[in-house]
Structure formats: structure tokens, C-alpha cells
Amino acid sequence: MNIFVGNVSRNVTDTELRNAFEQYGAVKSAVILMDRDTGESRGFGFVEMDNVQEANNAIQNMNGYELKGRRLNVNEARPREDRPRQGGFQKRRY
């Protein structure tokens, strides 16, 4: 199960996120998303857990949990939606 973790402090690392969730079960992966231009945290991440029961328990217990001064928003991640690309050059026809 893929878990969305929002409102993450900008100085939380992948390892710290993993450690916080491991108290509820085996974590397959934990990643904080980084801005590709600045290299800084985007303030959210994802945790993946194989065991659905452990993942649901983690969601219940970690939602509202304070990590490095911020209360986390935790819920099951929604499937990624296809979005049209932003910006870029579009040729106009007259």
C-alpha cells in the first residue's frame, strides 16, 4: 500500500520518515520528494508498506503525529492522474 505523507518539515530525511513508520510494520520504501530545481524538500513524501493491515495502522497512528515540529497529514495515496504538460512551446497556425 502506498501512503501519502503531507506537511513534512523541510529538514526531515528519507531515513527519518522510514524510522517513524517502521514502528507500525515493515516499510518497503520511504521517500521525501525534492524540488528538481532547488534540491529542497517539497514538504511531502510517500511510504510504501506491503502489509495492508500494518499500513492502515500506520495511517491511523501517524496522521496528526508531530515530526520535527510539524503535524503530519497521512492517508492512503491516490493513484497518479495523467495531467497535460504545463508550459512548453506550442506552434500556432494562422
Side-chain angles (χ1 to χ4, degrees):
M1 175 183 274
N2 205 12
I3 301 169
F4 171 80
V5 185
N7 199 37
V8 177
S9 172
R10 302 226 185 257
N11 59 2
V12 170
T13 66
D14 294 348
T15 302
E16 290 169 325
L17 185 63
R18 172 185 287 275
N19 290 342
F21 276 79
E22 280 183 332
Q23 61 186 322
Y24 299 103
V27 173
K28 186 174 180 181
S29 67
V31 62
I32 301 290
L33 272 68
M34 307 301 266
D35 184 278
R36 88 179 126 197
D37 294 329
T38 65
E40 294 179 2
S41 168
R42 293 182 63 194
F44 67 94
F46 293 92
V47 174
E48 189 175 359
M49 300 176 81
D50 284 333
N51 184 303
V52 174
Q53 187 174 5
E54 290 176 354
N56 284 327
N57 190 30
I59 290 169
Q60 281 185 326
N61 287 289
M62 292 299 292
N63 190 38
Y65 177 82
E66 189 172 317
L67 183 62
K68 289 198 170 183
R70 305 280 300 265
R71 292 206 179 273
L72 302 178
N73 294 322
V74 181
N75 52 54
E76 184 176 350
R78 293 183 298 231
R80 193 171 185 171
E81 295 178 10
D82 289 332
R83 301 186 293 179
R85 290 186 60 173
Q86 299 291 324
F89 178 77
Q90 294 181 349
K91 187 176 180 179
R92 289 188 171 178
R93 293 181 184 235
Y94 293 98

